[in-house]
C-alpha cells in the first residue's frame, strides 16, 4: 500500500464517521420529540449538554491522541462509539438516553482530532492544504447524504436508524482501522527516514494585506464557534421547524438538508479557488449571511424561503469553517493536540447557541420566536467582536 492509498483509507474512515454520527445526532432530536415529547427548548437543552462536555473532552482527547498515538485513539473511539450505540438500542429510558449522549460526547473526541492529524501526516505544506481540502469535502459530502437519507430511514426503522445503523458503521470502522494499522506502521517508518521538509512559509498573499497573518488566524478562530452556535441551534430545533412547515421526517430530510449540500459546495469551491485567502471582506460577508440566513430559516413559515435561506447558510458556514482550518495550517501547524483545540472551539459554539436559545425560551415561554432572536443577537455580538478584532489589529500594525 502506498502513502496515498493509506490516505484514501483515512478519508474513508472520516466519511464513515460522519455518516454514523450524523444518523445518530441529527435524528436523535426527532426521536426525543416522538418518544419523550421534547420541543425546541428540550432539544436545545440536550444540545447544550452535549456541547458543554464536548469542550473539555476535545481538549483532553486531543492530548491523548498526541501522547498515546492516533491509531490507538481511533481504536478506542470507534469501538467505544459502537458500544454506546448498542446501549442506546437496548435501553430506551430518558435517563439512559442522556447518559449515553454524555458518553458519546466524550468518546467521539477520540476520533476527530486523530483523523484530522492523520490526513495531514507526512505531507508537505502544499500537500497538507490538498489533503485538508479533500478531507473537508469528504465529511461534508457524507453529512449531506446522511441528513438527506436519514429522514426516510427514521420513518422506516425508527430506533434502528438512530442507534443500530450507526453501531454497525462504527464497528465496520474499527475493523477497517485494524487492517490500515499494519500499513500505517510501515509507511510511517519509511516517511520518517525521508529528508526533512523545507521550512514552513506563509502564503505570499498574506504579505500584501494591512493585517498580519496572525490576525486572520485569530479572527477565524473567533468566527468558527459562532458558526457552530448557528449550526447546532438549527439542528436542535429542526423537528420544530419541520412541524411548523408541516413536514414529515422524510420530507425534513429532503428539504432541510439543503444547507448541508450548500456547505459541501462551499468546501469544494474554496479548496480549489484561493481568492478568499487573507481577505477580510469574505469572512465579514460570510458572518452577515450567517446571521440573516439563520433568522430566515427559523422565522419564516414559507418552505421555499427556508430552502433558499439554507443555500446561503451552507455557504456561510462553509467559508467560516474552512477559514479556521486554513489559517490554522498556514499560520500555525496541524497536529492531534491542535486538532483537539480546534474541536474545543467548536464545542464552545455547540454549547453557547443552544444554551442561549433554551434560556430565552425559559424566560419568555409564550414567545416561540425568542430562540431565533436571542441566538441572532448572540451572533451579532460575535460580528461586533470580529470587526473590533480587525480594528485592533490595524491599530497595532500602524
Amino acid at each position: 500500500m502506498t502513502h496515498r492509498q493509506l490516505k484514501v483509507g483515512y478519508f474513508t474512515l472520516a466519511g464513515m464517521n460522519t455518516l454514523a454520527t450524523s444518523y445518530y445526532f441529527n435524528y436523535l432530536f426527532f426521536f426525543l420529540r416522538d418518544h419523550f415529547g421534547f420541543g425546541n427548548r428540550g432539544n436545545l437543552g440536550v444540545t447544550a449538554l452535549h456541547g458543554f462536555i464536548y469542550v473539555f473532552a476535545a481538549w483532553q482527547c486531543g492530548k491523548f491522541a498526541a501522547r498515546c498515538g492516533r491509531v490507538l485513539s481511533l481504536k478506542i473511539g470507534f469501538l467505544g462509539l459502537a458500544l454506546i450505540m448498542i446501549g442506546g438500542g437496548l435501553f430506551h429510558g430518558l435517563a439512559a438516553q442522556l447518559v449515553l449522549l454524555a458518553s458519546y460526547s466524550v468518546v467521539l473526541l477520540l476520533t476527530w482530532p486523530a483523523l484530522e492529524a492523520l490526513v495531514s501526516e507526512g505531507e508537505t505544506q502544499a500537500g497538507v492544504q490538498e489533503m485538508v481540502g479533500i478531507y473537508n469535502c469528504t465529511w461534508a459530502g457524507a453529512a449531506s447524504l446522511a441528513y438527506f437519507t436519514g429522514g426516510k430511514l427514521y420513518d422506516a426503522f425508527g430506533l434502528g436508524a438512530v442507534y443500530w445503523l450507526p453501531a454497525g458503521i462504527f464497528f465496520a470502522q474499527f475493523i477497517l482501522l485494524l487492517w490500515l494499522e499494519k500499513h500505517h506502521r510501515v509507511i510511517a517508518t519509511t516517511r520518517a527516514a525521508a529528508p526533512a521538509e523545507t521550512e514552513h512559509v506563509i502564503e505570499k498573499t498574506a504579505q500584501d494585506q494591512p493585517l498580519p497573518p496572525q490576525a486572520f488566524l485569530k479572527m477565524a478562530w473567533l468566527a468558527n464557534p459562532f458558526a457552530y452556535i448557528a449550526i447546532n441551534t438549527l439542528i436542535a430545533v429542526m423537528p420544530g421547524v419541520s412541524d411548523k412547515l408541516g413536514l414529515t421526517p422524510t420530507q425534513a430530510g429532503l428539504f432541510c438538508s439543503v444547507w448541508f449540500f450548500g456547505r459541501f459546495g462551499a468546501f469544494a469551491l474554496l479548496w480549489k479557488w484561493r481568492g478568499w485567502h487573507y481577505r477580510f471582506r469574505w469572512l465579514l460577508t460570510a458572518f452577515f449571511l450567517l446571521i440573516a440566513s439563520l433568522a430566515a430559516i427559523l422565522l419564516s413559515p414559507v418552505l421555499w424561503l427556508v430552502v433558499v435561506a439554507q443555500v446561503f447558510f451552507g455557504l456561510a458556514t462553509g467559508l467560516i469553517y474552512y477559514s479556521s482550518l486554513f489559517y490554522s495550517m498556514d499560520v500555525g501547524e496541524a497536529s492531534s493536540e491542535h486538532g483537539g483545540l480546534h474541536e474545543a472551539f467548536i464545542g464552545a459554539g455547540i454549547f453557547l447557541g443552544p444554551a442561549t436559545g433554551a434560556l430565552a425560551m425559559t424566560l419568555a415561554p409564550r414567545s416561540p420566536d425568542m430562540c431565533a432572536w436571542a441566538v441572532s443577537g448572540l451572533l451579532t455580538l460575535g460580528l461586533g467582536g470580529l470587526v473590533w478584532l480587525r480594528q485592533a489589529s490595524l491599530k497595532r500594525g500602524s
Side-chain angles (χ1 to χ4, degrees):
M1 177 179 284
T2 66
H3 177 69
R4 281 291 177 264
Q5 289 171 333
L6 184 62
K7 291 301 174 78
V8 172
Y10 296 146
F11 292 136
T12 302
L13 289 176
M16 294 172 69
N17 213 42
T18 303
L19 284 173
T21 55
S22 297
Y23 282 135
Y24 166 65
F25 192 71
N26 290 343
Y27 285 92
L28 174 66
F29 301 111
F30 287 89
F31 177 76
L32 293 175
R33 179 197 66 181
D34 296 341
H35 291 264
F36 301 106
F38 274 39
N40 285 344
R41 184 174 65 173
N43 281 336
L44 287 165
V46 169
T47 310
L49 170 66
H50 167 63
F52 182 78
I53 298 171
Y54 196 106
V55 174
F56 302 100
W59 190 17
Q60 295 304 317
C61 290
K63 289 183 176 180
F64 176 85
R67 183 174 60 252
C68 300
R70 297 154 184 168
V71 174
L72 176 61
S73 181
L74 288 175
K75 282 182 182 178
I76 298 172
F78 293 151
L79 193 57
L81 288 169
L83 293 174
I84 290 169
M85 294 299 106
I86 292 172
L90 296 175
F91 303 103
H92 303 165
L94 179 57
Q97 296 294 318
L98 296 179
V99 169
L100 290 166
L101 174 67
S103 302
Y104 164 86
S105 303
V106 175
V107 180
L108 174 66
L109 273 305
L110 290 169
T111 64
W112 286 125
L115 282 171
E116 289 163 7
L118 282 172
V119 299
S120 302
E121 185 179 61
E123 298 291 339
T124 64
Q125 182 178 350
V128 168
Q129 294 186 15
E130 183 74 7
M131 291 299 104
V132 171
I134 299 172
Y135 173 78
N136 282 342
C137 290
T138 298
W139 73 256
S144 305
L145 177 64
Y147 208 93
F148 184 76
T149 60
K152 180 66 174 178
L153 291 171
Y154 178 77
D155 273 338
F157 303 107
L159 193 68
V162 179
Y163 284 110
W164 294 111
L165 176 59
I169 297 174
F170 284 130
F171 187 71
Q173 286 179 275
F174 178 74
I175 299 301
L176 175 58
L177 180 63
L178 294 179
W179 181 70
L180 291 172
E181 182 182 17
K182 298 180 294 183
H183 302 283
H184 175 86
R185 291 172 180 168
V186 174
I187 293 174
T189 302
T190 304
R191 302 287 291 191
E197 183 189 349
T198 57
E199 183 181 355
H200 179 93
V201 179
I202 295 176
E203 187 173 294
K204 291 182 180 179
T205 309
Q207 302 171 6
D208 302 326
Q209 306 303 317
L211 294 174
Q214 290 77 12
F216 285 91
L217 175 60
K218 292 177 182 177
M219 288 188 294
W221 277 359
L222 172 67
N224 199 39
F226 282 93
Y228 274 85
I229 283 173
I231 287 171
N232 284 273
T233 298
L234 180 59
I235 290 175
V237 303
M238 195 59 83
V241 171
S242 62
D243 283 345
K244 180 174 66 175
L245 297 172
L247 303 176
T248 65
T250 296
Q251 292 169 330
L254 296 176
F255 293 108
C256 298
S257 62
V258 173
W259 78 266
F260 287 93
F261 288 100
R263 182 175 62 183
F264 170 72
F267 284 162
L269 174 63
L270 298 173
W271 170 28
K272 293 301 183 182
W273 176 65
R274 300 185 176 185
W276 59 277
H277 293 181
Y278 295 102
R279 289 175 172 82
F280 176 71
R281 61 181 179 272
W282 287 102
L283 189 58
L284 182 65
T285 300
F287 217 122
F288 272 116
L289 286 176
L290 181 73
I291 298 171
S293 59
L294 178 68
I297 295 168
L298 296 184
L299 297 174
S300 176
V302 182
L303 179 59
W304 72 264
L305 183 57
V306 170
V307 170
V308 171
Q310 285 183 73
V311 175
F312 293 102
F313 186 82
L315 294 173
T317 54
L319 191 142
I320 292 172
Y321 180 88
Y322 212 126
S323 295
S324 178
L325 273 186
F326 170 76
Y327 294 128
S328 295
M329 291 184 303
D330 205 47
V331 181
E333 58 179 301
S335 70
S336 300
E337 193 164 348
H338 281 80
L341 184 61
H342 170 76
E343 293 292 337
F345 283 134
I346 289 175
I350 295 173
F351 168 72
L352 284 173
T356 300
L359 179 62
M361 295 188 72
T362 300
L363 296 176
R366 296 184 180 180
S367 301
D369 294 334
M370 275 305 296
C371 171
W373 294 116
V375 175
S376 295
L378 183 61
L379 294 177
T380 302
L381 289 177
L383 177 61
L386 184 71
V387 174
W388 175 85
L389 189 58
R390 178 179 184 273
Q391 293 303 115
S393 297
L394 285 173
K395 288 180 180 179
R396 283 195 294 268
S398 61

